[in-house]
Amino acid sequence: MCLATGPVSAAPLPSAAPHAPSAASHAPGAAPHASAAALRTRAAAPDAPVTTSRAPAPAEFGTDWHDPLTAAPAISRPAAKSCEVTLAEARFTDFTPYRGTYVPPDGCGDRWSKVVLRLDGKVAGRQYDRLGYLHVGGVEILRTSTPEPSPDGIEWSVEKDVTRYSDTFRRGGDVEMLIGNVVDETYTGIIDVKVTLTFYAQGRATRPAEVPDRVLTLQDGTLTTPRNSERVVAEVYATGSGGGCEEFWYLTVPDPAPYSCKAAGGPYREVQIKVDGRLAGIAEPFPNVWTGGWSNPFLWYVIPGPRAFDVKPIQYDLSPFAGLLDDGRPHRVDVSVVGVPEGRSGWSAPVNVLVWQDARRAHVSGALTGVETGDLANTSSYTPGSPERLDTAGGHRLTVSGYVDTSHGRVTTTVRRVLANTSVHRWTDGEDTDGLKATWSDDETVTVDGRGAPRVTRTHRTYTMDGTTTLGPDGRLRTVLRLGDRAAVDDLRGGLRTAWSRLDDTYAGDATYTAGVPRDQRHAVGTTSERYTLRGSGGCHDRRLLTEQGVLTVDHRYC
């Protein structure tokens, strides 16, 4: 048994990366292999009370279970006039994209205090988990995956704050959405979705949100920014998907280790962005686990893994390159994933570029003053035995500096990013036992020095994975898995902290079923939990969910 093989490939997703992208697609069969938040999902109404409860749980999974939900906080909504626009209504049965036209709302102005996207979905029967995207005017505003359905059917909803794309929403444009799917005699689940945008007008108590002046996409791999750009941030929705080995890149091994998913450089991956061939940003990819992941869909029927329904983009502050980009010419922007074997598909990495302009100057000049790149460290050490073992350590450092001469003086931006990854992968002959313990850290410091005291934003991101899947001689397959998504952010001005936040989103699951038999003979059992804690200068959110055999037994808030 291998965690990283088996699923069929799915429809390609648009991408600016040089690697062929694909959608998640995984069978909920006898041995389903891994597959398919400012964003959240919920089954309850927006303001439904949250209480501690002990609902009776069945002895094993039946034909229905609780609708998917997460412990992430709700999207706050201003007390202001609102206007709703429907972006898409579609039933996905194949790999044909939905196409429509977006028209800006009438009656809420064009400088909004907030814009909220909501996706409502339903599916019943038998189906893979799927990866999808939504574009407006060519800008990717949502990347998401789907839950696997119960025979009786489930409904779920997803909300995301998309205010930063206001520039896109002020203009009409084409809408394209795809959740690639297969419907036949075996896989019967039709994915039915509706997506809306709700715009909240400015008013006496609600000022317009501070958003980028422009939202751009790459044109044939190039970027042309306005000549008065003073801050530039790239978003990359990077996902390894499609059911092949790159969906489980963290499990790949080099020769001579005997494992079914190979990569010469081992499991270390790094998402890089370059401007005119110069390294401009580095990042650790998030180890997404979709809702069929780790050979055990019973882990995910109610609570998805962190970010499964919100593929958050990697953000790169490219402001040190603003002086170079402001010459009015197209500049080459490339995204690549370090460690992917040549010719292997599986990664998608579409790019949005957010731009803030100098309102008082038509042309801003400046220069890139420094690019300091450390050596990329990547070592994997294989120890044969029972179990087999692969120890991996990798990391990278990058510091980039540049300035722009604006109407309010010279502004110098320095971005420093430090990456590190360690993992221990153990497996037995035949991969009947397969386990990984891994940690990824991504530290970023952005210093902006101009008029007044320097502004510093420090972000420490940590992703963790600790799990084992075991197939016993009796055919019982058990997966025990713990995932963590953590971030600490501090904003400082003149050395004094002005804002801060601490995020800890932890998922834990333990599920067992009989593999290789029809659904009614699996005798599946499983407990899952999520605790999502977010504290900081903006307030406190702390919620815990617990399920047994698909029944929500605990839903509790601590603050």
Side-chain angles (χ1 to χ4, degrees):
M1 176 205 64
C2 168
L3 299 182
T5 59
V8 299
S9 62
L13 293 174
S15 172
H19 308 286
S22 58
S25 178
H26 306 276
H33 298 285
S35 125
L39 177 76
R40 69 185 179 90
T41 60
R42 63 183 178 185
D47 299 317
V50 179
T51 60
T52 302
S53 61
R54 289 297 304 180
E60 58 189 53
F61 276 88
T63 61
D64 200 14
W65 41 83
H66 197 286
D67 287 336
L69 77 165
T70 80
I75 302 295
S76 63
R77 295 170 179 264
K81 179 182 178 181
S82 65
C83 302
E84 184 177 286
V85 173
T86 298
L87 276 183
E89 286 188 88
R91 305 181 82 226
F92 291 104
T93 61
D94 54 22
F95 298 104
T96 303
Y98 166 88
R99 290 187 171 90
T101 301
Y102 163 75
V103 177
D106 184 18
C108 286
D110 63 358
R111 294 293 187 271
W112 307 289
S113 58
K114 181 167 281 190
V115 185
V116 178
L117 178 151
R118 180 179 174 95
L119 179 152
D120 290 292
K122 58 184 178 181
V123 61
R126 181 181 177 89
Q127 195 49 263
Y128 290 118
D129 48 340
R130 303 291 183 173
L131 188 66
Y133 65 82
L134 175 61
H135 294 172
V136 177
V139 174
E140 181 145 330
I141 66 170
L142 174 69
R143 178 161 294 204
T144 187
S145 69
T146 65
E148 291 195 4
S150 67
D152 295 348
I154 57 171
E155 297 183 7
W156 80 101
S157 61
V158 175
E159 288 189 350
K160 179 180 180 181
D161 184 342
V162 291
T163 314
R164 65 184 182 273
Y165 303 125
S166 291
D167 173 57
T168 300
F169 301 142
R170 293 187 188 108
R171 301 182 299 274
D174 294 334
V175 175
E176 181 175 298
M177 184 176 188
L178 176 62
I179 302 176
N181 198 16
V182 172
V183 176
D184 55 25
E185 293 181 355
T186 302
Y187 301 107
T188 59
I190 297 173
I191 300 171
D192 197 336
V193 300
K194 178 180 180 180
V195 184
T196 60
L197 292 177
T198 302
F199 297 82
Y200 292 88
Q202 60 174 303
R204 293 179 180 177
T206 55
R207 301 186 58 171
E210 295 184 5
V211 296
D213 297 297
R214 297 292 307 277
V215 179
L216 307 175
T217 58
L218 302 185
Q219 304 299 318
D220 296 323
T222 67
L223 172 68
T224 305
T225 65
R227 299 200 67 187
N228 60 347
S229 304
E230 59 176 277
R231 185 183 177 209
V232 181
V233 174
E235 293 185 330
V236 179
Y237 283 89
T239 51
S241 58
C245 288
E246 283 309 302
E247 184 166 333
F248 311 97
W249 47 269
Y250 43 78
L251 289 169
T252 58
V253 306
D255 288 329
Y259 191 74
S260 52
C261 270
K262 296 283 192 175
Y268 183 77
R269 298 291 182 271
E270 176 180 308
V271 184
Q272 297 186 348
I273 189 168
K274 294 180 179 179
V275 176
D276 293 335
R278 281 186 153 177
L279 189 60
I282 60 175
E284 295 281 6
F286 186 79
N288 290 291
V289 181
W290 314 122
T291 59
W294 278 67
S295 298
N296 204 323
F298 298 99
L299 289 169
W300 319 109
Y301 279 152
V302 179
I303 303 173
R307 306 194 191 189
F309 295 161
D310 172 23
V311 180
K312 295 182 180 179
I314 298 169
Q315 290 197 333
Y316 301 91
D317 195 323
L318 303 183
S319 300
F321 286 81
L324 174 68
L325 296 171
D326 282 349
D327 61 3
R329 300 174 182 174
H331 292 265
R332 185 77 195 173
V333 175
D334 295 297
V335 175
S336 61
V337 183
V338 172
V340 178
E342 185 176 356
R344 178 181 290 174
S345 63
W347 281 89
S348 179
V351 180
N352 299 328
V353 180
L354 314 180
V355 177
W356 288 257
Q357 297 170 255
D358 187 336
R360 297 183 178 182
R361 185 167 290 182
H363 178 210
V364 170
S365 61
L368 176 70
T369 57
V371 177
E372 298 178 13
T373 308
D375 293 334
L376 195 156
N378 180 20
T379 60
S380 289
S381 175
Y382 165 58
T383 304
S386 185
E388 316 281 359
R389 175 169 172 156
L390 186 77
D391 291 78
T392 297
H396 205 184
R397 295 172 178 264
L398 176 67
T399 301
V400 184
S401 298
Y403 71 88
V404 284
D405 289 322
T406 72
S407 61
H408 47 89
R410 175 166 290 189
V411 177
T412 300
T413 302
T414 301
V415 180
R416 184 174 186 265
R417 205 144 181 177
V418 180
L419 313 180
N421 165 230
T422 59
S423 69
V424 178
H425 183 188
R426 297 181 177 91
W427 67 97
T428 59
D429 185 40
E431 299 169 19
D432 287 343
T433 297
D434 200 350
L436 179 77
K437 186 171 185 178
T439 300
W440 298 264
S441 65
D442 187 329
D443 293 343
E444 182 181 29
T445 301
V446 179
T447 303
V448 180
D449 195 356
R451 180 180 297 177
R455 302 187 304 277
V456 179
T457 300
R458 294 174 181 160
T459 305
H460 174 68
R461 307 172 185 90
T462 305
Y463 317 136
T464 57
M465 179 178 288
D466 187 356
T468 303
T469 292
T470 303
L471 182 63
D474 58 353
R476 295 290 284 175
L477 188 150
R478 181 186 182 192
T479 305
V480 180
L481 182 62
R482 189 176 183 89
L483 304 172
D485 181 7
R486 301 176 183 88
V489 182
D490 292 284
D491 292 325
L492 301 98
R493 186 70 183 257
L496 300 177
R497 191 167 72 178
T498 57
W500 64 281
S501 66
R502 300 291 183 271
L503 166 69
D504 186 342
D505 184 8
T506 300
Y507 166 92
D510 186 342
T512 305
Y513 69 99
T514 301
V517 299
R519 182 190 293 268
D520 60 0
Q521 299 174 31
R522 291 182 189 171
H523 303 299
V525 295
T527 59
T528 66
S529 67
E530 181 191 18
R531 185 161 184 177
Y532 192 112
T533 303
L534 179 62
R535 290 183 168 88
S537 48
C540 174
H541 172 86
D542 189 348
R543 185 178 181 186
R544 178 174 176 259
L545 304 174
L546 179 65
T547 77
E548 299 178 33
Q549 281 73 265
V551 173
L552 182 66
T553 57
V554 173
D555 185 346
H556 184 66
R557 280 193 181 135
Y558 297 89
C559 63

